[in-house]
Amino acid sequence: MDKKIVLITGGTGLIGTQLSKLLFDKGYQVRILSRSKNKEQNNNYHYYAWNVPKKEIDIAALKNVHYVIHLAGVGIAENRWTATRKKQIVGSRVDSALLLLEKLQQINHRPLKFIAASGIGFYGAVTTNTIFTEKDPAHDDFLGNTCKTWEQSSLKFEKAGIPTSILRTGIVLSKKGGALEKLCQTFKFKFAAALGNGQQYMPWIHINDLCQLYLHAIENTAFIGIYNAVTSEHVTNYEFTKALVRKHNRTLQLPNVPSFILKLIVGSMSEMVLNGSRVSADKLERGGFKFQYDTLEKALEELIV
Ligand SMILES: NC(=O)c1ccc[n+]([C@@H]2O[C@H](COP(=O)([O-])OP(=O)(O)OC[C@H]3O[C@@H](n4cnc5c(N)ncnc54)[C@H](OP(=O)(O)O)[C@@H]3O)[C@@H](O)[C@H]2O)c1
């Protein structure tokens, strides 16, 4: 039987790299759509180029593709949120999705499914007592509005008759890069401290579970619509920091990092780490997904050796 073909936009990133390997190992043909063909390439995958601002895609990337996974986007937590950066954060996700759809329609090809990333930033940078579910509306702040527009562009695939799943993703914990690496940086200097008042929640997911979830979305036709991609365990920033400290055999001696210091260092982006509410994993679990790493302790056991 011919291999099913999966095209991953942003397949060179943190999630895409691990997801490509999982899909290849599971017998899929993996295509990667990237801005640069000069990046280090893996012989197991097929690479194609695109240029979103110029509205260009190597059309061969889309031919006969069965599944499209849309991960591409400028890093949200990498640079200060200047007006230009904010435009890039939105445009790189939304314009790219619209371009993909336009080109698929031009060649009259309908993949079996479109699966897109989104973020729990949808619920806003707010600390509340609410446990947010997929039925809650987007919060009216930069992250909430970004995720809403991003999801609206993904839902255009659904309207065009392509079954669509959206994974509203929490903080992805991985050995290489991402949030955990940043959180662990201070341990090199032998200190660690919670951020702000430490009471903000940090909905998270282990990268292995997230990649399994993308596979689940591919393999289950009934898995369509919007899902929170987070584990069911709720931890605050203080609890998270304490768990990291235990794992590094240190003690938490320092006072919390004051909010104003973070605001001075990273500007309005500090909202993202100083605030956070609980996010429900119920719909995901009802959809038949089983987490391998359902507690932070299990996740850190695997991630920090
Ligand atoms: N990691 C997390 O904790 C997390 C949490 C929630 C949601 N997400 C979302 O999940 C998606 C994947 O996350 P990730 O952590 O794997 O991100 P990542 O490591 O930053 O990778 C994203 C990829 O997007 C591509 N890209 C960057 N700027 C672009 C632009 N201007 N136009 C088109 N493509 C661009 C890059 O690929 P090329 O250089 O090859 O083009 C890059 O490898 C992102 O949309 C992210 O917002 C991630």
Side-chain angles (χ1 to χ4, degrees):
M1 209 174 65
D2 283 345
K3 288 185 171 194
K4 288 269 196 288
I5 305 167
V6 187
L7 174 70
I8 310 179
T9 76
T12 56
L14 179 79
I15 298 166
T17 304
Q18 186 155 329
L19 180 59
S20 302
K21 183 176 181 318
L22 174 69
L23 294 176
F24 178 82
D25 291 345
K26 291 279 175 188
Y28 290 90
Q29 186 197 114
V30 175
R31 293 182 183 169
I32 289 177
L33 200 50
S34 168
R35 288 164 304 164
S36 159
K37 278 188 138 186
N38 301 326
K39 278 197 171 177
E40 193 185 326
Q41 295 202 355
N42 182 316
N43 289 335
N44 292 336
Y45 318 137
H46 303 259
Y47 290 82
Y48 301 88
W50 67 341
N51 184 321
V52 178
K54 287 190 178 164
K55 293 191 146 222
E56 290 169 358
I57 294 186
D58 179 348
I59 221 72
L62 302 178
K63 284 201 177 134
N64 305 318
V65 75
H66 295 97
Y67 303 97
V68 178
I69 297 182
H70 183 39
L71 300 177
V74 162
I76 292 180
E78 275 166 28
N79 284 304
R80 282 176 89 92
W81 288 349
T82 59
T84 311
R85 187 70 182 175
K86 283 182 173 176
K87 269 194 194 147
Q88 289 169 345
I89 289 173
V90 180
S92 59
R93 289 167 171 79
V94 172
D95 299 348
S96 53
L98 299 179
L99 179 64
L100 277 171
L101 183 59
E102 186 190 315
K103 296 293 177 184
L104 281 167
Q105 288 177 325
Q106 251 171 37
I107 60 167
N108 209 9
H109 177 62
R110 233 187 247 180
L112 298 175
K113 205 179 243 188
F114 177 73
I115 306 161
S118 175
I120 52 156
F122 183 89
Y123 305 113
V126 286
T127 308
T128 61
N129 283 326
T130 310
I131 303 179
F132 287 110
T133 74
E134 292 81 352
K135 288 189 181 144
D136 283 299
H139 190 75
D140 186 14
D141 61 7
F142 171 63
L143 280 182
N145 290 324
T146 298
C147 292
K148 186 173 165 187
T149 320
W150 188 7
E151 291 185 9
Q152 281 166 344
S153 66
S154 298
L155 289 171
K156 289 205 173 15
F157 287 76
E158 184 77 52
K159 290 197 190 97
I162 301 167
T164 297
S165 315
I166 295 176
L167 300 181
R168 225 173 248 167
T169 310
I171 299 163
V172 179
L173 302 185
S174 150
K175 275 183 191 149
K176 295 177 206 145
L180 192 60
E181 193 173 89
K182 287 196 178 118
L183 288 165
C184 287
Q185 264 164 6
T186 56
F187 288 100
K188 279 190 234 142
F189 308 105
K190 301 201 182 335
F191 70 84
L195 307 175
N197 67 13
Q199 295 311 304
Q200 66 278 35
Y201 286 94
M202 296 179 61
W204 62 274
I205 184 166
H206 190 296
I207 193 161
N208 292 6
D209 279 334
L210 182 61
C211 292
Q212 288 293 339
L213 183 54
Y214 276 98
L215 181 66
H216 185 82
I218 285 179
E219 294 185 341
N220 292 278
T221 43
F223 191 89
I224 48 172
I226 299 172
Y227 291 84
N228 292 331
V230 293
T231 47
S232 51
E233 188 193 52
H234 304 301
V235 287
T236 62
N237 176 268
Y238 179 74
E239 290 160 347
F240 200 105
T241 312
K242 252 179 41 182
L244 283 182
V245 164
R246 268 199 307 276
K247 197 72 200 116
H248 284 87
N249 292 321
R250 305 221 190 286
T251 46
L252 192 55
Q253 292 158 332
L254 290 175
N256 295 3
V257 180
S259 308
F260 79 91
I261 298 273
L262 276 168
K263 280 184 195 143
L264 274 177
I265 301 171
V266 293
S268 58
M269 203 169 76
S270 62
E271 291 162 21
M272 210 170 82
V273 288
L274 289 169
N275 294 293
S277 294
R278 288 168 289 179
V279 172
S280 167
D282 285 0
K283 185 178 174 193
L284 196 57
E285 293 182 320
R286 281 199 311 275
F289 184 73
K290 300 249 178 303
F291 288 94
Q292 190 183 355
Y293 301 96
D294 53 356
T295 66
L296 189 59
E297 201 177 320
K298 272 191 219 166
L300 295 183
E301 192 60 40
E302 196 277 333
L303 293 166
I304 300 175
V305 279

